[in-house]
Amino acid sequence: MIKTYPTIGETLHSFEHASGLRVFVLPKPGFGKSFALFATDFGSVNSNFTVDKMNVRVPDGVAHFLEHKLFEEEEGNVFEKFSSLGASANAYTSFDMTGYLFSATANVYESLSVLIRFVQSPYFTEENVEKEKGIIGQEIDMYRDDPSWNCFFNSLRSMYKNHPVRLDIAGTAESISKIDKTLLYQCYNAFYVPKNMILFVAGDVDPEKIRTVVEENVVDKYSPEVEKSLPEEPEDIVKTEVEAPFMVSRPMLTLSFKERPMDDPVYADAVYEVLGSLLFGKSTTLYKELYEDNLISDSFSYGYSAGRGYAFLQVDTESDNPKLVREKILAHIETVRKEGFSVSDFERIKKSIFGSVIRVMDDAEKIGHAFVPMAFRGGDFLTYPDVVRNLSLSDVTHVLEKGLSAQKCVLSVVSPNQRRQNNE
Amino acid sequence: MDVQTKRITEGITLYMLPDDKFKNCMQGVYFTMPLRGETATGLALLPKLLSAGNSRYTNRSQLHMQAEAFYGTLFKASSGKAGERQVVSFVTDCIADRYAGEPLFDNVWALLQTVICEPRGTAAFEADVFNREKETHREDIRGAVNDKRRYALLRCIEEMCKGEAYGIRADGTEEELDKLTPASTFALYQKMLHSAQVDIFVCGAFHTEQAIRCADALASILGPRQVVKDTLKSHLPQNVRYVEDREPVQQGKLVIGYRADVNTCSDDYYKLLVYNAVFGGGTSSKLFNNVREKMSLCYYASSQVDRAKGLILAQSGIEFSNYSLALDAIRTQQAEIAKGNVSEVEFAGAVQGLVNSLRSYKDSPSLLQGYYMRQLAAGGEMNIDADIEKILSVKPEQIVETARQIHMDTVYFLNGTEGDAK
């Protein structure tokens, strides 16, 4: 299938392989770099599922552990193959998916064969699984030293009572100690089947040649019947405040609003992006006042995240008085709820977001990272600029009426620990 | 891809890379001054002061509002160091005129020029704005500790290059910040405006006549200047220094600073570059494959080159108790290269990796901008393909020779507090 997007000047080729694998190719003529992302609809939140009606509960961090281990092959690690082709390979695990990728300026089709083949060829042994625990253990420790990461996860744990989005993506030292090769194969066989996967390629490539590489390398295999289950999640939050000591110079804060997930992921992203920008952008009176009162630093940002069964809008900043910042933000939301937005602000913000998406279109990797998770949830990222353009002010005010409730708001703070304060 | 260079006036040069395959365009104006302890803090404060208000946009919010109206144009003013020079930069990133349906390029340039040339105040910055931005900058200086990996790197460089200009933090210090006044900082601003080396870089979807017209307009305000290039001095270490900080952290951060006895302004630089790629440049490197993959000591173990200063910095995040083990392991990898133990796969992976990332730059206005500005700072080639050719001409035996010219200078360790001791 070929679909064109006149607004952004792009053309997308797509087809479904006999195995059920969905393939998307975005040609970027004149570009030297190509990018491929081969992903499975399996992420850190999928800790509970049934395989052929049998219930499976896996330790936290399995999806991420599996991502690390897939690079291992009988004859060594697959990085060597990529680097001899001049391609740069990597992978990542998010809440909802695991993606394997490379970027290359030569040997694109050869590199694509390597990508498709290695993701389909697990090689887990007791030794190589044990060995990985040291590496992942240090990855976990690295994040334990990252103040914004901790502020973020503390807020998730305070928002979500049951939903596994509250769990660390890499797990903990304790949870990964329980992972063994049997468990990895069990997850692999359940989720690394073509019908649960997407391949995305962007670059100066020929869609027909990509099809040939796919035909030659994708193996159609038995797909067990897998059902992912998510626990019931109440609409309410767990607690309104959480604070943790850290080696930071000044308190950092994340103010999160637990939102009701929407069905259409593209629309949800668009409407929350516009709403976030209208409420918390740096052109707002809120930012101006907080900044001019010396309440916050110049870093002040917002972001919307959503996946299956979860959605939240967050504001991040630094302040010596996090509670006062929360008070001001909540009051600002109340005022806007009463007074509404101006049409000129609304139109300007839409223009701004439209421009920011055009800017992404020069970057094959960014397009891929936005496109694939959206496609797993049934959305088409390339329609995003049009969806933004077509939003009406009432779309945004409607979300504000029900959303961003002060009752579902969590303040997460990491504040300077004793030692740091004594030093100063 | 050749950059088109045009001397606008003495000391002001325009670099252009027009390409309609892009949907975006980046404009950047860079002021380069010597990095000095007495001016670093003031120069680092200038981008904040200039972003905080000018004749047309009286505060930060108004500037942001204008950027939003310009289709979400990104605007960034910042300060950093390039070798022993300080670079104050003003960069915008906007969509191509053909997507905006309006002369965005010219309008965005006008905004950039206003921010640079028209601050509020004539002989001094406005006191309230000055005081607020000063406090924001103080937080930034203190905030260096927040990112532990960068902090460890910063501390290693600071200790290693004590007494050299390179050891000065680009953000400056609180002591120097306290000395600044609205008038003294304004004088420094005037000095930067009229005596710094100015480089203008435009890349993406635009026409060269547009850029030349804009650069001419800016140059007519700034005027010609004589730029004196100072030469970098480096010395080789007499013996290795060991430095340790203790802080309440979960993971130890090990940074090893090396000095290369190599003329980085000559083609020897390419040998150093390939040497570094074999040593710790990516997933084909010795550090990745041995310290991480074989020994499971860490999640990251990598190294980087600073061309202007001829340094190599290796870093890894480890368990506190593995300090000696990791230090030995990293040392061993360098010794292995010096002994000539470099496999074909390691060598080819290093070369291909460097070539692939250089070629990738051609697809991104912001990477191109970064690349050319780094080349300019180091006096390197202004042509990616020529750079690639030079990398491809490096022979395995040459990097073995280079490995013997690398001298360990400083070992820095960010250790935990009591109870976690190594």
Side-chain angles (χ1 to χ4, degrees):
Chain A
M1 199 169 83
I2 299 176
K3 194 174 169 194
T4 55
Y5 302 83
T7 314
I8 51 173
E10 301 287 347
T11 302
L12 182 72
H13 299 246
S14 63
F15 67 93
E16 192 173 309
H17 180 253
S19 60
L21 173 72
R22 286 182 288 153
V23 181
F24 299 92
V25 184
L26 188 73
K28 301 287 289 177
F31 278 71
K33 184 175 79 172
S34 295
F35 169 75
L37 176 59
F38 191 20
T40 172
D41 191 356
F42 174 53
S44 68
V45 302
N46 304 115
S47 50
N48 221 329
F49 51 91
T50 61
V51 182
D52 289 335
K53 307 245 154 44
M54 236 180 60
N55 218 355
V56 183
R57 171 86 180 87
V58 292
D60 306 341
V62 164
H64 172 258
F65 204 107
L66 189 50
E67 172 228 301
H68 271 239
K69 280 334 292 171
L70 261 193
F71 282 90
E72 198 106 34
E73 295 193 312
E74 204 165 348
E75 57 270 33
N77 76 45
V78 75
F79 284 119
E80 252 176 37
K81 284 186 187 164
F82 281 110
S83 59
S84 69
L85 288 167
S88 158
N90 212 335
Y92 65 96
T93 307
S94 66
F95 292 131
D96 299 293
M97 61 165 259
T98 313
Y100 301 82
L101 58 99
F102 74 83
S103 68
T105 50
N107 305 318
V108 176
Y109 303 104
E110 293 84 346
S111 303
L112 184 60
S113 310
V114 174
L115 177 71
I116 296 172
R117 270 188 254 150
F118 101 79
V119 174
Q120 294 182 107
S121 320
Y123 177 70
F124 311 140
T125 65
E126 263 151 43
E127 284 129 28
N128 75 29
V129 170
E130 276 317 301
K131 184 208 82 176
E132 206 65 27
K133 289 179 183 172
I135 299 173
I136 296 176
Q138 287 311 306
E139 188 178 359
I140 292 170
D141 277 353
M142 180 178 80
Y143 281 110
R144 286 173 67 200
D145 272 334
D146 182 336
S148 29
W149 184 259
N150 280 271
C151 203
F152 174 67
F153 270 96
N154 286 342
S155 70
L156 288 180
R157 281 186 276 271
S158 307
M159 265 190 291
Y160 291 90
K161 183 164 182 274
N162 304 319
H163 194 292
V165 71
R166 67 196 304 281
L167 307 169
D168 280 334
I169 291 173
T172 61
E174 204 255 328
S175 76
I176 63 167
S177 72
K178 295 182 201 142
I179 294 173
D180 59 19
K181 74 169 198 188
T182 315
L183 206 61
L184 293 181
Y185 274 115
Q186 193 174 25
C187 293
Y188 182 86
N189 292 329
F191 295 106
Y192 283 69
V193 291
K195 70 168 193 187
N196 194 48
M197 301 178 79
I198 284 176
L199 174 66
F200 174 88
V201 185
D204 198 348
V205 293
D206 175 0
E208 279 313 304
K209 282 196 189 160
I210 301 288
R211 187 192 285 268
T212 310
V213 176
V214 168
E215 297 288 350
E216 284 170 0
N217 292 287
V218 173
V219 183
D220 192 0
K221 57 176 181 180
Y222 166 72
S223 310
E225 199 184 307
V226 178
E227 233 174 277
K228 296 168 186 164
S229 52
L230 286 174
E232 275 293 308
E233 174 65 34
E235 285 210 355
D236 292 340
I237 56 173
V238 180
K239 56 180 172 180
T240 53
E241 277 172 30
V242 54
E243 187 169 355
F246 235 84
M247 178 187 160
V248 286
S249 55
R250 189 184 195 188
M252 288 184 185
L253 67 108
T254 298
L255 193 68
S256 313
F257 296 91
K258 187 175 181 180
E259 298 296 287
R260 208 178 269 173
M262 290 183 178
D263 290 333
D264 181 345
V266 182
Y267 178 81
D269 270 25
V271 76
Y272 270 101
E273 182 63 33
V274 172
L275 178 61
S277 190
L278 278 167
L279 283 170
F280 312 123
K282 286 191 172 176
S283 63
T284 57
T285 51
L286 172 72
Y287 171 73
K288 182 171 181 284
E289 282 168 24
L290 290 174
Y291 188 74
E292 290 183 355
D293 291 349
N294 279 328
L295 253 178
I296 57 166
S297 68
D298 57 345
S299 69
F300 187 72
S301 60
Y302 64 89
Y304 172 74
S305 303
R308 288 193 190 92
Y310 69 89
F312 49 85
L313 184 73
Q314 296 181 310
V315 182
D316 290 290
T317 188
E318 291 172 15
S319 173
D320 292 328
N321 196 342
K323 288 187 184 179
L324 186 57
V325 171
R326 172 177 59 185
E327 200 181 294
K328 300 243 178 198
I329 290 178
L330 292 177
H332 170 70
I333 295 172
E334 259 332 294
T335 309
V336 173
R337 213 176 253 136
K338 274 189 213 122
E339 295 172 4
F341 297 110
S342 83
V343 176
S344 65
D345 283 347
F346 176 67
E347 292 303 329
R348 189 187 69 249
I349 292 302
K350 287 211 301 183
K351 218 169 148 184
S352 169
I353 294 167
F354 175 81
S356 68
V357 190
I358 295 289
R359 248 186 288 111
V360 170
M361 291 300 150
D362 274 346
D363 190 328
E365 297 196 26
K366 280 191 188 153
I367 300 171
H369 292 312
F371 184 90
V372 172
M374 210 81 126
F376 277 130
R377 292 196 288 139
D380 177 358
F381 170 68
L382 298 177
T383 63
Y384 186 81
D386 284 322
V387 173
V388 171
R389 269 193 171 168
N390 295 332
L391 282 178
S392 66
L393 190 50
S394 64
D395 288 323
V396 178
T397 45
H398 182 73
V399 171
L400 187 58
E401 269 164 34
K402 296 257 167 66
L404 273 73
S405 151
Q407 278 75 49
K408 293 177 202 162
C409 171
V410 172
L411 175 66
S412 171
V413 180
V414 292
S415 41
N417 46 29
Q418 216 55 50
R419 185 187 167 83
R420 208 58 226 171
Q421 284 170 343
N422 290 346
N423 279 355
E424 278 170 15
Chain B
M1 191 182 275
D2 273 343
V3 67
Q4 299 178 35
T5 307
K6 188 169 176 7
R7 179 182 172 277
I8 298 296
T9 181
E10 189 166 5
I12 303 184
T13 318
L14 169 65
Y15 300 88
M16 296 175 286
L17 271 168
D19 194 335
D20 270 338
K21 77 173 179 187
F22 294 119
K23 295 183 161 88
N24 300 308
C25 185
M26 285 194 87
Q27 307 168 342
V29 180
Y30 299 79
F31 292 86
T32 303
M33 307 264 283
L35 181 60
R36 298 281 179 268
E38 60 276 17
T39 50
T41 315
L43 285 173
L45 176 60
L46 285 180
K48 290 190 174 72
L49 285 169
L50 296 173
S51 305
N54 52 56
S55 63
R56 189 133 181 233
Y57 312 106
T58 55
N59 57 53
R60 280 170 179 258
S61 290
Q62 283 190 1
L63 187 67
H64 283 289
M65 199 177 279
Q66 183 62 74
E68 286 168 357
F70 287 161
Y71 287 87
T73 291
L74 289 185
F75 169 78
K76 191 167 191 239
S78 59
S79 149
K81 70 179 169 184
E84 294 188 337
R85 301 198 191 114
Q86 189 165 2
V87 183
V88 176
S89 60
F90 302 86
V91 179
T92 62
D93 183 356
C94 66
I95 64 173
D97 285 1
R98 66 178 190 275
Y99 286 99
E102 58 185 84
L104 206 50
F105 184 95
D106 294 345
N107 293 340
V108 169
W109 181 271
L111 177 138
L112 195 60
Q113 197 167 299
T114 305
V115 170
I116 295 169
C117 304
E118 297 171 31
R120 288 157 69 78
T122 44
F125 288 104
E126 288 182 343
D128 58 335
V129 173
F130 180 84
N131 291 330
R132 192 169 57 242
E133 297 303 324
K134 188 172 154 182
E135 290 317 303
T136 299
H137 192 61
R138 187 187 305 281
E139 292 300 336
D140 281 356
I141 293 172
R142 291 180 177 173
V145 299
N146 296 351
D147 181 337
K148 310 298 174 281
R149 192 167 161 175
R150 277 180 54 197
Y151 177 67
L153 202 61
L154 183 80
R155 285 284 298 126
C156 182
I157 292 170
E158 192 168 56
E159 291 290 337
M160 182 168 163
C161 301
K162 232 178 218 171
E164 298 171 76
Y166 196 74
I168 297 168
R169 291 193 191 189
D171 272 344
T173 61
E174 285 194 61
E175 295 71 49
E176 289 295 325
L177 188 68
D178 288 331
K179 294 183 203 159
L180 295 176
T181 67
S184 70
T185 312
F186 200 86
L188 184 63
Y189 160 70
Q190 291 289 350
K191 194 176 166 201
M192 176 190 90
L193 220 51
H194 302 297
S195 71
Q197 172 186 326
V198 178
D199 297 293
I200 303 168
F201 193 92
V202 185
C203 176
F206 72 100
H207 299 294
T208 50
E209 317 82 76
Q210 286 180 295
I212 294 169
R213 193 172 4 94
C214 292
D216 279 338
L218 179 65
S220 71
I221 300 170
L222 300 181
R225 71 271 330 280
Q226 283 209 306
V227 178
V228 190
K229 294 222 171 178
D230 46 348
T231 43
L232 268 175
K233 282 180 218 86
S234 201
H235 61 84
L236 294 177
Q238 299 301 310
N239 36 33
V240 182
R241 280 188 64 215
Y242 294 85
V243 180
E244 182 190 287
D245 284 340
R246 285 179 169 271
E247 295 285 357
V249 289
Q250 304 289 334
Q251 183 182 56
K253 302 275 194 266
L254 175 61
V255 185
I256 307 175
Y258 302 86
R259 289 184 197 256
D261 190 8
V262 167
N263 178 3
T264 53
C265 294
S266 72
D267 284 356
D268 286 349
Y269 165 68
Y270 296 93
K271 300 170 196 165
L272 184 65
L273 200 60
V274 178
Y275 159 80
N276 178 65
V278 169
F279 177 50
T283 54
S284 65
S285 72
K286 282 188 178 286
L287 291 186
F288 183 88
N289 284 297
N290 293 287
V291 185
R292 171 176 148 144
E293 290 295 302
K294 287 212 179 84
M295 300 177 76
S296 297
L297 283 174
C298 57
Y299 173 64
Y300 69 88
S302 62
S303 65
Q304 63 193 68
V305 189
D306 182 283
R307 180 177 189 172
K309 188 72 181 167
L311 306 182
I312 288 200
L313 294 149
Q315 51 173 337
S316 186
I318 54 172
E319 220 170 87
F320 303 117
S321 59
N322 282 335
Y323 168 80
S324 305
L325 206 58
L327 179 57
D328 283 348
I330 294 173
R331 261 192 180 134
T332 305
Q333 298 316 311
Q334 194 215 338
E336 284 295 307
I337 305 177
K339 275 191 243 164
N341 292 330
V342 177
S343 73
E344 263 177 50
V345 176
E346 284 170 333
F347 187 77
V351 170
Q352 291 305 323
L354 289 170
V355 170
N356 184 42
S357 49
L358 276 171
R359 283 200 190 121
S360 303
Y361 290 169
K362 294 181 183 178
D363 282 353
S364 158
S366 78
L367 289 177
L368 282 169
Q369 179 133 332
Y371 168 79
Y372 282 108
M373 288 301 113
R374 277 197 307 279
Q375 294 298 93
L376 201 61
E381 285 279 352
M382 290 299 277
N383 180 316
I384 290 183
D385 292 324
D387 243 9
I388 291 174
E389 283 311 310
K390 291 195 168 160
I391 287 167
L392 288 170
S393 71
V394 175
K395 306 273 178 297
E397 56 273 19
Q398 293 177 317
I399 69 154
V400 173
E401 205 180 295
T402 301
R404 294 174 187 150
Q405 296 166 305
I406 308 287
H407 306 277
M408 191 187 265
D409 184 304
T410 299
V411 176
Y412 171 83
F413 191 51
L414 179 58
N415 200 357
T417 44
E418 54 276 277
D420 307 315
K422 71 185 183 210

